[in-house]
Amino acid sequence: QKARVDAQGPLGRTALMAAALSGHAAITRCLLDAGASVDLSDSHATTALMEAARAGAAEVIALLAARKPDPNRVDHLGRSALSIACQSRQANATAVRALLALGIDRQRPCADGRRALDHAIAGGRWDLVALIDPDYALPSSVAEGAGSAVADSPAHLLDALRFGHWTIAEGLLPRLSQWSQADLAGIWLELATHSDAR
């Protein structure tokens, strides 16, 4: 029907950005095949790659990567796609690995001075930390399971709390005394704005 593939709606949003944020790989492929611009940004300087990173949509990131997006673009808060992924509850190791494969700058600081690595550490996302900086000294409780969410790690507790898996969270209570204050503070900060007060 002659719809413009890069038509922008309120706040400069495009169909590609919406598809990426929703993790819709098939729709993303269709839009890219129709000529959608991968580096177009909205009024907050957010690109489709950033939205895919926020959603943890590794398949969408791979589709966008084939069109050579600029991986080091930043949004209005100075965050790259990698920093956004490290702040997102939906992001995962597969998505971060896909971003790193693009040659994204691992050390680029956001406007607040913190790097993607710092955000991953604050959130207790040790699987992401190990990917971004393999030389980073992981807490002893997770060192043996670097690269995955270890069953008794702060990252596992964080995920259990995020998704309301109370039985799993209660089972991890005995481990709290073995985790650092930084680990616990990271969990608290990550959950401070969660929609579920529990």
Side-chain angles (χ1 to χ4, degrees):
Q1 300 301 311
K2 309 294 190 223
R4 290 183 298 116
V5 70
D6 281 334
Q8 292 180 276
L11 302 178
R13 301 288 291 170
T14 67
L16 185 61
M17 294 172 198
L21 181 59
S22 297
H24 287 310
I27 295 174
T28 297
R29 184 181 293 107
C30 181
L31 292 168
L32 290 172
D33 288 345
S37 172
V38 292
D39 280 330
L40 204 60
S41 60
D42 66 14
S43 61
H44 290 127
T46 302
T47 66
L49 182 64
M50 294 175 195
E51 294 294 42
R54 191 188 323 275
E59 189 177 355
V60 173
I61 293 172
L63 289 168
L64 296 171
R67 305 302 171 109
K68 309 294 186 197
D70 179 357
N72 293 311
R73 296 270 303 262
V74 295
D75 69 5
H76 71 298
L77 297 176
R79 299 177 302 175
S80 68
L82 183 60
S83 290
I84 290 171
C86 289
Q87 290 179 286
S88 171
R89 295 186 178 102
Q90 283 72 47
N92 52 60
T94 305
V96 168
R97 194 175 288 110
L99 290 171
L100 294 173
L102 284 169
I104 199 165
D105 184 354
R106 303 170 188 230
Q107 301 300 323
R108 185 182 192 118
C110 303
D112 64 4
R114 296 200 292 172
R115 302 162 299 162
L117 179 67
D118 300 319
H119 289 296
I121 292 168
R125 298 299 305 274
W126 302 114
D127 54 338
L128 306 186
V129 171
L131 284 173
I132 296 168
D133 184 359
D135 296 326
Y136 186 86
L138 299 175
S140 58
S141 61
V142 298
E144 292 182 3
S148 62
V150 181
D152 59 355
S153 70
H156 192 219
L157 174 60
L158 179 59
D159 284 340
L161 293 171
R162 279 177 182 152
F163 301 112
H165 299 156
W166 309 120
T167 302
I168 294 173
E170 288 172 7
L172 290 169
L173 287 177
R175 299 285 293 167
L176 294 183
S177 62
Q178 299 171 28
W179 297 339
S180 71
Q181 289 299 311
D183 288 338
L184 299 176
I187 294 172
W188 166 256
L189 288 172
E190 182 72 18
L191 296 174
T193 57
H194 197 286
S195 57
D196 186 340
R198 289 177 296 174

